[in-house]
Amino acid sequence: MWKELTRAHLAHDRATRCTVTAAALAAAFFLALLGCLFYNLWVYEIARITTQEGGWQARVTLAQTGNGAAEAIAALEQFAHIESVQVNEALSDPGQTVLDLTFDDVRGVYRQLPLIAQRLGLDAGALAAHETLLSRYLVTDPQDPTPPLLLPFFLAVFGAVAAALVLLIRNAFAITMQSRLHQFGILSSVGATPRQLRSVLLQEAAALCALPLLAGTALGLAACWGVILAVNRAAAGVAGRQDAVFTLHPLVVASTLLASFLTVLLSAWLPARKLARLTPLQALRGGEAPRRWKRCRAPLLSLCFGVRGELAAGALRAQRRSLRIANVSLLLSFLGFTAMLCFFTLSGISTRLTYFERYQDAWDVMATVQNASLAGFSCTEKLQALPGAESCVVYEKHAARCLLPAAQQSEALQALGGLTAVAGDETTLQGDVFAVEAPVVVLDDKSFLAYCKQVGISPSLDGAILLDRVWDSLHSHFRARQYVPFVQPDIAALELQSLDGAQRVQLPLLGGTDTPPNLREEYDQYTLVQFWPQSLWETVGAPLAADAGAAEVSVRLLGRDGITPAECEALQAQAETVLHQAGYEAALENRIAERQANDRMIAGMQAILGAFCLLLAAIGLANVFLNTLGFVGQRRREFARYLSLGMTPKELRSLFWIEAAVIAGRPLAVTLPLTALVVAFMLQASRLDPALFWAEAPVLPIVLFAALIVGVVVLAYALGARRVLSGDLSEILKDDSLR
């Protein structure tokens, strides 16, 4: 009997089928999309870590080689849970042997390491776990107070989305089940038990949702494939990035189907449990006894629309539980969308001003040559002669410390309270001598002489030039820094020492300037930067070059004004060819490609975050549709009573527009002031001119997103008004007591 009853209801109630089918399809789609995206992100992270850092799970460093290392390897290979032992040739040397281990049970790595140390007689410092890789398997060090939380965060997001979908689909089932209360009351009065009623409702849910769950899962997996394709295309030019490969595991499909099924089952069980508990009399009357009506206080709606405003406010108050998801989802989606766009706009302006535009006339191609020194570098002339290269500067950087007596501070700096007042914790005072960080930039002699002419100092290779400036942080902010001289103008030499304090040299000065050479370098604000000629460094600065064995040479190439992306790529390729032919290992980058990659990366992040905002909005808008189209019977009785009190059909229709205005306008009214406060805070923190932001403010996307919300809400209420107001409402009042 129950099966025939279910078939009959599904055959005649087309609205029920459409509502529940659409809800189940949406739930399966979103869960499959998110589940597949998270799985592919996890696979990509594993592949990236394995490629960049290796696939080892633990590492053992043995202070022995030869037979001793062979015995340790044999002991490890016999260890119960170790799967493989490999000698890391890159890290091993004649004084030690480094072994990479993998385990058959990755969750037991941290338990096995102390046992391995005990077995081999090693200190704990000789063993290390691959924390980054293990954390991707949700394996963390039990002794670590701050374990990585990236993967747990993704799982929490997936759980939150599933919970939101449960609430959304629950409303769909509640609305469709509500329409059968009268039938359930009759069945209950003739002996049907609550368990039988629940069984009928769950059977209907299973019959309606089987195909939508399969179709939604297939669509979600296909959408994930499209998203990965789009991300690969958007991030194609990002340096050092490997393409993501769409991966589909049978367990992923099974898990998403199971999650979708449990979501729908729970969504149907919650309202079925509630309805099955109603007494026969309550079911025949259409539900639980209504609460005593109280006048709804809505001053703004009353002021604008009078009695109609109060009636609309009362209707919204009666639906507040069923519309809770819509209100929260629309608010969070619009707030997240506007805040995200404003943040990326401000971040893009700041990055452009502080990096791309600031250095656009300083470099077009940069090369960092590893394990090389300026003295032995042999490609300067070839790089300068490259077609399209207007300027070439080759330099290297070193670190040192300057011992500056307090009396040698400039008068302007002392008037501000001295270096301690402007630099705060960044100063180190030893007695009456400041230990100031003093970075050294060594230029080739030709470039140094050209720099002397640029700053108006008599060209010479017998001394260095001091960047004689310090930031007046008391009277200016970082966006518009004001500088004062650092040292007295008559200082002819500075005392430098190596970072370990073992070596000291006297540096002769040619003079000071507040203009650094045209390089892509950022100098700390409270340091004494010096620019040395190569010949002086080889004779005077050699004791300071404690890191000479690991030196790097930087090559800055500047092309013509208005260089095109193709010309910049060609200049980079030619410079790379010259360096590789000379046997140098170099990493090269060009300014235009770096900016394009940065723009693509930001666009990709905006697309991903925007998609999640659209997902939230879709959940909220679906809830609006379910309410407007699901409670047609109740709203028709409500409007029939209003009609009997003398309201016209036009006034009845206006109630829908007032409700739609409240539903769509509430997230906008709350979000825009909050966004304005957030933007004001970010402008204050970033010290940007508000006019720069307003010139690039993302007004159009925000307006389009708001229009989407308003348009869909209006459409939902227009369809609801059409269904409610169609037909003769007066007929409803004739038999209202039985409905």
Side-chain angles (χ1 to χ4, degrees), residues 262-278:
L262 293 177
T263 299
V264 172
L265 180 64
L266 182 59
S267 302
W269 182 81
L270 289 174
R273 177 173 176 268
K274 181 179 179 181
L275 294 181
R277 287 183 172 184
L278 295 177

Side-chain angles (χ1 to χ4, degrees), residues 115 121 288 324 403 526 623:
L115 301 178
E288 297 179 352
R324 188 175 298 160
L403 302 179
Y526 308 110
N623 184 236

Side-chain angles (χ1 to χ4, degrees), residues 118-385:
Q118 182 180 0
R119 176 75 174 271
L120 299 181
L122 300 174
D123 295 333
L127 291 91
H130 197 167
E131 296 180 357
T132 307
L133 180 61
L134 294 177
S135 67
R136 300 304 184 261
Y137 292 99
L138 291 180
V139 179
T140 58
D141 186 355
Q143 307 299 323
D144 187 0
T146 58
L149 299 177
L150 180 62
L151 193 56
F153 170 76
F154 287 149
L155 295 176
V157 170
F158 185 79
V161 172
L165 291 172
V166 166
L167 296 177
L168 175 65
I169 306 173
R170 174 191 175 279
N171 284 342
F173 280 112
I175 291 169
T176 57
M177 293 175 184
Q178 191 78 18
S179 64
R180 302 187 63 191
L181 277 180
H182 189 74
Q183 183 187 44
F184 288 162
I186 296 174
L187 293 173
S188 181
S189 66
V190 297
T193 64
R195 182 177 181 181
Q196 289 173 324
L197 296 179
R198 285 197 303 270
S199 176
V200 170
L201 294 173
L202 293 179
Q203 287 177 15
E204 292 181 4
L208 287 172
C209 297
L211 290 179
L213 288 181
L214 294 174
T217 300
L219 290 174
L221 299 178
C224 176
W225 173 78
V227 168
I228 292 176
L229 215 62
V231 170
N232 282 335
R233 183 172 300 177
V238 177
R241 180 191 175 275
Q242 60 188 48
D243 283 345
V245 179
F246 177 73
T247 306
L248 190 60
H249 196 279
L251 286 178
V252 176
V253 180
S255 299
T256 53
L257 278 173
L258 179 61
S260 303
F261 173 76
L262 293 177
T263 299
V264 172
L265 180 64
L266 182 59
S267 302
W269 182 81
L270 289 174
R273 177 173 176 268
K274 181 179 179 181
L275 294 181
R277 287 183 172 184
L278 295 177
T279 65
L281 184 58
Q282 287 175 331
L284 287 171
R285 288 180 174 178
E288 297 179 352
R291 297 181 181 179
R292 185 177 179 182
W293 185 83
K294 295 182 180 180
R295 182 178 179 182
C296 182
R297 299 289 182 181
L300 183 59
L301 293 180
S302 299
L303 179 64
C304 296
F305 305 104
V307 175
R308 290 177 297 162
E310 292 193 13
L311 292 176
L316 290 172
R317 181 177 177 82
Q319 302 174 63
R320 65 186 184 278
R321 290 187 177 179
S322 57
L323 285 173
R324 188 175 298 160
I325 296 176
N327 292 329
V328 174
S329 297
L330 294 179
L331 176 62
L332 292 180
S333 65
F334 193 60
L335 179 61
F337 188 78
T338 54
M340 179 262 298
L341 287 182
C342 291
F343 170 78
F344 278 113
T345 300
L346 284 169
S347 177
I349 293 173
S350 179
T351 303
R352 188 178 70 243
L353 293 178
T354 58
Y355 184 74
F356 291 114
E357 290 187 0
R358 180 178 179 181
Y359 294 114
Q360 67 179 357
D361 296 326
W363 73 290
D364 287 315
V365 174
M366 283 292 300
T368 303
V369 185
Q370 306 290 337
N371 301 319
S373 64
L374 191 59
F377 190 70
S378 59
C379 296
T380 303
E381 298 298 330
K382 293 181 180 179
L383 292 171
Q384 179 66 67

Side-chain angles (χ1 to χ4, degrees), residues 395-545:
Y395 61 97
E396 64 182 19
K397 297 176 289 185
H398 297 276
R401 187 174 291 113
C402 177
L403 302 179
L404 182 70
Q408 291 186 355
Q409 298 177 97
S410 69
E411 300 293 339
L413 181 56
Q414 294 184 40
L416 295 174
L419 186 60
T420 305
V422 297
D425 296 337
E426 298 189 34
T427 61
T428 302
L429 186 61
Q430 302 172 357
D432 61 346
V433 176
F434 288 102
V436 182
E437 297 300 320
V440 175
V441 178
V442 183
L443 304 173
D444 64 273
D445 290 350
K446 181 179 179 181
S447 298
F448 181 80
L449 293 174
Y451 177 53
C452 290
K453 295 180 180 179
Q454 175 189 342
V455 297
I457 294 176
S458 178
S460 173
L461 300 177
D462 296 330
I465 297 177
L466 178 68
L467 185 60
D468 186 17
R469 69 182 190 186
V470 63
W471 174 28
D472 179 6
S473 60
L474 303 179
H475 300 98
S476 63
H477 54 77
F478 70 92
R479 189 67 65 184
R481 291 189 175 100
Q482 297 178 6
Y483 294 95
V484 298
F486 203 134
V487 299
Q488 296 285 352
D490 56 350
I491 293 181
L494 291 175
E495 183 177 5
L496 303 181
Q497 68 174 188
S498 58
L499 293 181
D500 59 7
Q503 302 291 335
R504 295 191 181 187
V505 299
Q506 290 292 322
L507 170 65
L509 292 177
L510 299 177
T513 180
D514 61 356
T515 304
N518 193 22
L519 305 174
R520 194 198 66 173
E521 295 294 335
E522 186 74 25
Y523 308 109
D524 290 339
Q525 303 303 317
Y526 308 110
T527 59
L528 280 168
V529 184
Q530 316 116 55
F531 303 99
W532 293 48
Q534 176 185 344
S535 56
L536 181 66
W537 174 257
E538 293 173 359
T539 56
V540 177
L544 299 176

Side-chain angles (χ1 to χ4, degrees), residues 593-612:
E594 185 174 346
R595 180 163 187 172
Q596 291 174 341
N598 179 76
D599 292 342
R600 283 194 296 268
M601 187 178 299
I602 291 176
M605 289 189 290
Q606 285 181 321
I608 293 173
L609 294 176
F612 278 105

